[in-house]
């Protein structure tokens, strides 16, 4: 019996190893497949009536116009960038400050509590955030700021900030913890206060990890769909104030993909928008990866 | 190892769930109605989606063995699905264009069949605090249309008390919506596009809900979506005609300028369960649901013999 | 005579401590800014949903044109599609993680795989939906179905499962493996009998967290299978498995989206109750993952 078992083991080993290697390479295959597929579905649009210049510079997004379909994505791109930038302007200071507080200042019990709070915040689904933006934050914004309408750039940015902060805090806190204790001890021995330790020693030392945390938050903000679909007002225009409604690339795809006939120009242009999104998040991720990988080569601590 | 055993148990549990779900494909047919092998897939107009869902729910009492699947997304989604051949009925709040009919005929070999299942008066709503009582169609066109010059409430000669900025906030629908397309054709006129920057809402109810919170806003939606938070405004077709409110009577006799039929389209002549369902919808039983949901009924034209 | 020396804080020291206190207060405020919205949001959802939060909400199907009744059909749809997607993603992800940590030699291929995993994790969810529509719904011919949606969700959850598996495997001390090699075990035997069982806590945590994420996502299932309404049976075994693998389905996340934007006459409390149910589902899955992590961490033998 044992001999059969051993023989089986020996025989199956190469098969198992092959399966494992295949699974490992599947990640590469999938990324390539998705990128190639989305780009390939979108490219024929340029042959079919999508003018590159209009696409990049025009705000007119009228894909189903009976007069003449227009596919200008400038307003959509501006919307995506505006929401992301404003959300980061809110989330990054709060996130970094909170991660410093959690890592350096607070008592262990408070730290556990805050970590649970972060996990809970991260777990709330995006459609619930969108619902909150639409039903709760909108009326509040209207009451506080006298805005003409409550679902707008500000609303979307606040919701996105709440969604991005958990990533920034948890990755940032990991980065701060990765700085060796000897650094802290050396600074404390010189008489530094905890803030001075954080400011002069930890932030520079964890700079790359914190940058990566921020970039991950940026990636999340660019890619978010349902929350911005419901909370930004979904209006095709370049915002002139924080209280103007905007529309993002992601929301446009989500709202319009269903009505397109497969293979038609509108369908393909939506895939072009998807390619733009993919390239933006790929760029952000590669930058974050390069920053983090950079320190692994440089730091010998 | 205990954890190995736990893992094995978990995996076999998951596999069992998966197998049971697949197995239900066959076993379900002998039992009570399941969602397996839907007989009728209906997709399309968001204006009609509640109506169609009400049809589906009530028809289940009449013919429990027929399973109906309802999806929204806008009339454009339904018509696209009809062309693709992935549904039995497309619900549409606008007529299919000649181009769409041609594509459908090429795809399926025969022209799509059109059935009117209800009438709708497309209402223009304002916030209850807004003193405006009526719109002229050309005013609406100047508010919503490209190049339109009306951007403030004061230009319409009224003072909107709860709107300090005096800005007209335009609420509308996204471009897959039949309501969007119908409003463009009926109000803006052929050849004129919407002005950019309107709040393009996802569903018909979204428009009125948002409107009830936004005193500066104006919006269009089906008459069935009226509620206490908004007020429907009477529309005058031209400067010479009287303003007509969007109610059942004016929709039926055509005096309301934005009255529109609501359609079911099928890729070809309907047969079997689909035909019986459409006949039921157009019969008194179905039309009772139409009026209950706030739309206007149509006179039944097909004899109810599908049972 | 020795003069008595007492330390009195000079100006520099006082300023340093003042800044420290200020920074601490600022950090505390930032942390509070995290807690306050969470408590406010969950509290407001619960308060608004309270009238509708009954047991029948969970076990009954939507009724009266979806303005009343329960959430059974969307709930079961979400569970079905999430279980399917994890059944695909978990084995592949765990094996890929084993590859990265146990088999791959340090070199360009390993870097490439790690890069691919990281980029796969960064792809926006709507792009996953685009790929799902083009590849599974159309090209593979699955149509809008549980199958297409599960495949799409599986690709979305794969990278994080891989990452948490590699981290869990990396945390197992090298000494364990060396001990196995010393008695002549092959690599797979080592992994199977020693490394994997000890890393199981971290692996399971990662998988369970992805369960909650898949349950909450809407964009990937928007065009790959979720529908507005489909009638499912109220009773019997069929009520638990109403959706065949080629059928479209109702899902809790999509349901929240449609009843807040399209259905007339839905009471506010029912909308909030749907949001509460979705959040509760997600949070309870997360709680399971935390419990698993805690229990297996306390049993760790290193």
């Amino acid at each position: 019996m044992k001999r059969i078992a051993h023989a089986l083991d020996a025989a199956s080993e190469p098969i198992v190893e092959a399966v494992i290697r295949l699974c490992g390479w599947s990640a590469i295959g999938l990324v390539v497949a998705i990128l190639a597929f989305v780009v390939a579905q979108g490219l024929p649009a340029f042959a079919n009536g999508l003018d590159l210049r209009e696409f990049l510079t025009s705000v007119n997004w009228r894909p189903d116009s009976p007069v003449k379909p227009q596919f200008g994505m400038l307003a959509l791109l501006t919307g995506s960038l505006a929401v992301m930038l404003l959300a980061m302007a809110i989330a990054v200071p709060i996130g970094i400050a909170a991660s410093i507080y959690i890592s350096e200042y607070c008592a262990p019990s408070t730290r556990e509590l805050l970590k649970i709070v972060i996990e809970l915040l991260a777990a709330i689904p995006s459609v619930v955030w969108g619902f909150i933006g639409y039903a709760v934050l909108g009326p509040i914004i209207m009451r506080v700021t006298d805005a003409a309408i409550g679902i707008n750039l500000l609303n979307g940015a606040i919701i996105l900030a709440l969604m991005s902060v958990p990533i920034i805090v948890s990755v940032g806190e990991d980065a701060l913890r990765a700085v060796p204790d000897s650094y802290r001890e050396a600074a404390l021995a010189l008489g530094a206060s905890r803030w001075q330790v954080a400011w002069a020693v930890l932030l520079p030392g964890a700079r790359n990890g914190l940058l990566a945390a921020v970039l991950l938050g940026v990636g999340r903000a660019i890619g978010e769909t349902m929350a911005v679909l419901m909370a930004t007002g979904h209006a095709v225009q370049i915002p002139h104030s924080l209280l103007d409604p905007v529309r993002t690339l992601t929301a446009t795809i989500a709202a319009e993909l269903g009505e397109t006939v497969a293979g038609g120009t509108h369908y393909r242009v939506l895939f072009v928008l998807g390619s733009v999104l993919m390239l933006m998040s790929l760029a952000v991720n590669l930058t974050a990866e390069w920053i983090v990988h950079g320190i692994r080569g440089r730091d010998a601590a | 190892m205990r954890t190995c055993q736990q893992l094995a148990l978990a995996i076999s549990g998951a596999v069992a769930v998966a197998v049971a779900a697949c197995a239900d494909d066959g076993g379900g047919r002998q039992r009570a109605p399941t969602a397996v092998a839907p007989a009728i897939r209906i997709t399309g107009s968001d204006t009609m989606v509640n109506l169609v869902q009400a049809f589906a729910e009530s028809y289940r009492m009449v013919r429990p063995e027929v399973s109906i699947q309802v999806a929204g997304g806008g009339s454009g989604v339904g018509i696209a699905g009809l062309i693709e051949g992935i549904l039995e009925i497309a619900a549409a709040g606008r007529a299919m264009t000649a181009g769409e009919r041609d594509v459908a005929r090429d795809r399926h070999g025969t022209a799509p069949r059109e059935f009117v299942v209800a009438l709708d008066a497309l209402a223009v709503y304002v916030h209850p605090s807004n003193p405006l009582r009526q719109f002229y169609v050309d005013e609406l066109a100047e508010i919503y249309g490209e190049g339109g010059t009306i951007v403030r409430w004061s230009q319409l000669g009224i003072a909107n008390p709860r709107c300090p900025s005096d800005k007209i906030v335009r609420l509308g629908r996204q471009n897959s919506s039949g309501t969007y397309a119908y409003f463009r054709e009926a109000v803006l006129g052929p050849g004129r596009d919407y002005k950019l920057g309107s709040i393009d809402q996802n569903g018909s109810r979204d428009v009125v809900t948002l409107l009830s919170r936004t005193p500066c806003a104006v919006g269009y939606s089906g008459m069935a979506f009226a509620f206490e938070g908004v007020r429907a405004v009477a529309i005058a077709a031209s400067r010479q005609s009287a303003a007509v409110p969007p109610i059942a009577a004016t929709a039926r006799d055509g005096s309301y300028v934005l009255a529109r039929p609501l359609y079911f389209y099928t890729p070809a002549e309907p047969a079997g369960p689909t035909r019986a369902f459409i006949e039921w919808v157009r019969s008194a039983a179905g039309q009772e649901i139409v009026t209950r949901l706030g739309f206007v009924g149509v006179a039944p034209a097909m004899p109810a013999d599908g049972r | 005579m020795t003069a008595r020396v007492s330390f009195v804080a000079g100006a520099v020291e006082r300023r340093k401590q003042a800044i420290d206190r200020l920074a601490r207060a600022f950090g505390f405020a930032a942390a509070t800014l995290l807690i306050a919205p969470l408590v406010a949001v969950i509290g407001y959802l619960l308060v608004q949903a309270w009238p509708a939060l009954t047991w029948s909400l969970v076990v009954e199907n939507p009724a009266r044109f979806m303005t009343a009744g329960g959430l059974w059909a969307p709930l079961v749809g979400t569970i079905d599609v999430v279980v399917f997607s994890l059944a695909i993603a978990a084995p592949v992800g765990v094996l890929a993680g084993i590859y990265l940590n146990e088999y791959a030699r340090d070199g360009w291929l390993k870097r490439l795989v790690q890069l691919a995993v990281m980029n796969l994790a960064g792809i926006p969810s709507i792009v996953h939906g685009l790929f799902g529509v083009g590849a599974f719904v159309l090209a593979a011919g699955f149509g809008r179905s549980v199958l297409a949606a599960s495949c799409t969700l599986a690709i979305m959850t794969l990278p994080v499962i891989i990452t948490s598996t590699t981290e869990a495997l990396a945390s197992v001390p090298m000494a364990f493996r060396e001990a196995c090699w010393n008695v002549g075990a092959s690599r797979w035997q080592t992994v199977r009998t020693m490394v994997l069982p000890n890393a199981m806590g971290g692996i399971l945590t990662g998988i369970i967290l992805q369960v909650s994420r898949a349950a909450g996502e809407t964009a990937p299932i928007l065009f790959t299978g979720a529908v507005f309404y489909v009638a499912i049976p109220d009773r019997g075994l069929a009520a638990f498995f109403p959706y065949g693998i080629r059928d479209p389905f109702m899902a809790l996340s999509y349901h929240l989206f449609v009843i807040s934007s399209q259905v007339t006459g839905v009471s506010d409390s029912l909308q909030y109750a749907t949001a509460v149910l979705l959040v509760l589902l997600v949070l309870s899955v997360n709680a399971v993952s935390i419990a698993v992590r805690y229990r297996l961490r306390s049993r760790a033998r290193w």
Side-chain angles (χ1 to χ4, degrees):
Chain A
M1 222 33 230
K2 254 201 184 164
R3 228 175 309 164
I4 301 178
H6 280 184
L8 226 66
D9 246 350
S12 66
E13 173 99 13
I15 302 177
V16 169
E17 195 170 314
V19 168
I20 288 181
R21 285 187 192 275
L22 219 64
C23 286
W25 300 335
S26 68
I28 304 181
L30 279 173
V31 172
V32 170
I34 294 179
L35 187 57
F37 187 86
V38 171
V39 170
Q41 288 287 315
L43 275 181
F46 289 101
N48 276 3
L50 176 62
D51 174 20
L52 184 62
R53 194 142 165 268
E54 180 198 31
F55 184 66
L56 293 175
T57 59
S58 160
V59 299
N60 293 324
W61 176 260
R62 297 197 177 94
D64 62 325
S65 160
V67 180
K68 176 179 175 299
Q70 294 170 302
F71 298 106
M73 78 151 179
L74 191 61
L76 307 175
L77 184 63
T78 315
S80 278
L81 290 175
V83 172
M84 183 266 289
L85 284 171
L86 188 58
M88 286 301 111
I90 301 174
V92 167
I94 295 180
I96 304 269
S99 58
I100 293 178
Y101 182 75
I102 292 178
S103 144
E104 302 303 315
Y105 278 98
C106 66
S109 52
T110 327
R111 182 176 302 145
E112 285 310 305
L113 170 69
L114 284 174
K115 290 187 94 136
I116 293 181
V117 167
I118 300 291
E119 282 201 33
L120 290 183
L121 265 181
I124 296 183
S126 61
V127 65
V128 174
W129 280 121
F131 177 68
I132 290 169
Y134 180 80
V136 177
L137 194 55
I140 292 180
I141 288 183
M142 281 183 70
R143 218 170 335 163
V144 168
T145 64
D146 244 3
I149 186 160
I151 49 175
N152 46 32
L153 176 60
L154 183 63
N155 192 331
I158 293 178
I159 297 289
L160 264 190
L162 284 170
M163 294 175 77
S164 310
V165 156
I167 292 192
I168 297 178
V169 171
S170 50
V171 177
E173 201 229 327
D174 281 346
L176 287 170
R177 297 220 139 264
V179 176
D181 273 342
S182 56
Y183 285 35
R184 287 184 185 80
E185 287 161 7
L188 287 171
L190 288 173
S193 70
R194 267 191 281 196
W195 167 246
Q196 285 174 324
V197 173
W199 179 250
V201 177
L202 295 181
L203 279 184
R207 180 184 50 209
N208 291 328
L210 290 175
L211 232 81
V214 169
L215 283 174
L216 283 177
V218 167
R220 181 94 156 85
I222 292 182
E224 181 46 50
T225 308
M226 297 312 289
V228 293
L229 175 61
M230 295 163 89
T232 54
H234 208 50
V236 179
Q237 61 180 7
I238 296 191
H240 293 293
S241 96
L242 289 184
L243 303 173
D244 280 344
V246 295
R247 191 199 275 212
T248 63
L249 292 167
T250 48
T252 305
I253 298 176
E256 299 183 7
L257 185 62
E259 71 150 333
T260 57
V261 179
T265 309
H266 191 185
Y267 175 84
R268 298 210 181 274
V269 175
L270 288 178
F271 272 86
V272 176
L273 289 186
S275 313
V276 170
L277 273 173
M278 263 203 86
L279 290 172
M280 281 167 72
S281 44
L282 241 69
V284 166
N285 273 316
L286 282 173
T287 313
E289 164 74 9
W290 174 75
I291 287 177
V292 168
H293 190 61
I295 62 160
R296 244 185 267 151
R298 249 184 286 140
D299 264 359
Chain B
M1 290 260 133
R2 263 194 67 204
T3 39
C4 258
Q5 288 166 356
Q6 284 170 349
L7 186 64
L9 202 65
I11 292 183
S12 28
V15 169
V17 166
V19 166
C22 292
D24 197 61
D25 244 37
R29 278 187 235 284
Q30 284 87 14
R31 285 192 291 240
T34 65
V36 176
I40 309 177
R41 294 163 294 183
I42 313 179
T43 304
S45 165
D46 286 323
T47 302
M48 294 169 71
V49 74
N50 301 314
L51 183 60
V52 176
Q53 194 263 345
F55 286 151
E57 215 177 283
S58 306
Y59 195 63
R60 229 178 125 206
M61 311 298 170
V62 172
R63 291 281 202 100
E65 75 282 4
V66 173
S67 138
I68 303 180
Q69 222 177 77
V70 180
S75 307
V77 178
I79 293 174
L82 181 140
I83 293 175
E84 296 288 330
I86 59 174
L87 42 77
E88 277 68 44
I89 299 178
R94 62 166 173 87
M96 280 179 82
T97 65
E100 287 166 342
R101 286 180 210 259
D102 288 337
V103 177
R105 188 181 24 237
D106 288 337
R107 221 43 104 83
H108 299 289
T110 166
R113 267 282 268 144
E114 178 184 287
F115 301 93
V116 176
V117 298
L119 293 177
D120 178 35
L122 183 56
V124 177
Y125 295 99
V126 295
H127 194 265
S129 68
N130 190 331
L132 192 80
R133 292 284 151 196
Q134 69 169 55
F135 272 117
Y136 295 110
V137 169
D138 58 57
E139 281 176 337
L140 281 176
E142 282 303 300
I143 293 175
Y144 274 96
E146 192 182 7
T149 50
I150 301 184
V151 292
R152 303 196 166 279
W153 290 106
S154 44
Q155 288 172 275
L156 291 169
I158 58 147
N160 195 343
R162 284 180 52 187
C163 180
S165 59
D166 199 32
K167 255 199 317 193
I168 298 183
V169 176
R170 289 160 285 132
L171 305 185
R173 297 289 310 285
Q174 72 226 31
N175 54 29
S176 60
S177 156
T179 312
Y180 169 98
Y182 174 77
F183 188 86
R184 177 174 57 198
E185 199 190 304
V187 172
L188 304 185
R192 190 172 183 188
D193 261 319
Y194 281 101
K195 198 190 298 180
L196 291 175
S198 55
I199 317 278
D200 304 327
Q201 288 293 282
N202 172 61
S204 308
R205 209 198 70 161
D206 256 350
V207 174
V208 293
T209 311
L210 191 55
L211 189 54
S212 67
R213 294 193 203 123
T214 315
C216 289
V218 60
Y220 57 84
S221 192
M223 63 188 271
F225 296 91
F227 75 115
E228 319 77 51
V230 296
R231 196 181 68 241
V233 171
I235 311 266
S238 69
R239 303 273 160 172
Q240 289 77 35
S241 38
V244 179
I247 54 177
T250 59
R252 205 177 289 123
D253 68 17
S255 54
Y256 183 68
V257 64
L258 296 181
R260 58 166 172 167
L262 300 177
Y263 303 97
F264 274 175
Y265 283 99
T266 53
E269 189 66 37
T274 311
R275 182 182 180 82
F277 175 69
I278 296 183
E279 284 175 5
W280 177 87
V281 162
R282 287 166 57 91
S283 73
Q287 293 299 301
E288 190 258 325
I289 295 179
V290 168
T291 38
R292 190 162 17 137
L293 257 70
F295 295 96
V296 179
V298 288
M302 274 202 264
D305 63 0
R307 322 234 168 155
Chain C
M1 285 275 276
T2 46
R4 205 169 349 150
V5 176
S6 59
F7 180 70
V8 173
V12 171
E13 178 69 22
R14 271 200 307 271
R15 188 156 157 265
K16 180 179 87 177
Q17 286 186 354
I19 297 182
D20 189 42
R21 272 195 296 271
L22 194 65
R24 186 202 189 96
F26 192 64
F28 180 72
T32 314
L33 271 175
L34 297 179
I35 303 185
L38 179 74
V39 169
V41 160
I42 294 195
Y44 189 76
L45 285 182
L46 280 173
V47 162
Q48 291 288 335
W50 193 250
L53 282 180
T54 60
W55 182 242
S56 69
L57 185 75
V58 177
V59 295
E60 278 182 18
N61 275 322
R64 261 187 286 149
F65 315 151
M66 305 222 298
T67 62
L71 297 169
W72 176 250
L75 182 63
V76 114
T78 294
I79 294 177
D80 278 358
V81 84
V82 165
V83 164
F84 261 95
S85 72
L86 264 302
I88 302 171
V92 175
V94 171
L95 290 176
I98 292 177
Y99 168 75
L100 274 178
N101 206 60
E102 307 292 326
Y103 280 83
R105 264 192 305 263
D106 275 333
W108 63 271
L109 186 57
K110 183 175 180 183
R111 280 288 296 136
L112 197 59
V113 173
Q114 286 171 327
L115 208 65
V117 170
M118 197 181 180
N119 284 309
L120 197 58
I123 293 180
S125 54
I126 190 67
V127 176
H128 281 294
L130 273 176
F131 181 69
V133 167
F136 299 122
V137 173
L138 294 176
F142 295 157
R144 294 190 183 192
S145 58
V146 171
L147 187 57
S150 301
C151 292
T152 312
L153 281 175
I155 298 181
M156 194 184 77
T157 54
L158 192 64
V160 181
I161 294 181
I162 296 180
T163 312
S164 54
T165 304
T166 46
E167 280 174 12
L169 291 170
S171 73
V172 175
M174 207 54 177
F176 283 40
R177 297 182 185 80
E178 288 165 359
C180 282
W181 299 337
N182 282 341
V183 297
S186 73
R187 204 184 308 207
W188 173 239
Q189 280 176 329
T190 315
V191 170
R192 183 176 43 126
T193 57
M194 187 61 79
V195 183
L196 203 52
N198 279 305
M200 198 48 79
I203 296 178
L204 280 180
T205 306
I207 294 179
I208 296 173
L209 277 178
Q210 288 313 290
V211 165
S212 74
R213 182 170 164 226
E217 282 285 342
T218 314
I221 61 174
L222 206 49
F223 303 109
T224 52
V227 288
F228 185 77
Y229 171 78
V230 69
I232 71 166
D234 285 321
R235 271 167 289 281
L237 191 62
F240 283 87
F241 305 107
Y243 306 109
I245 199 158
R246 300 294 289 255
D247 288 341
F249 55 96
M250 292 174 83
L252 203 52
S253 51
Y254 184 65
H255 195 74
L256 176 61
F257 182 56
V258 298
I259 65 170
S260 68
S261 63
Q262 283 178 8
V263 183
T264 40
V266 182
S267 62
D268 277 353
S269 59
L270 186 58
Q271 295 176 50
Y272 282 97
T274 311
V276 166
L277 186 62
L278 183 57
V279 173
L280 273 179
L281 178 66
V282 166
L283 289 185
S284 49
V285 173
N286 278 12
V288 169
S289 123
I290 294 177
V292 164
R293 181 171 67 200
Y294 186 70
R295 186 158 167 272
L296 282 161
R297 177 63 50 83
S298 64
R299 291 202 315 156
R301 287 170 288 175
W302 68 90

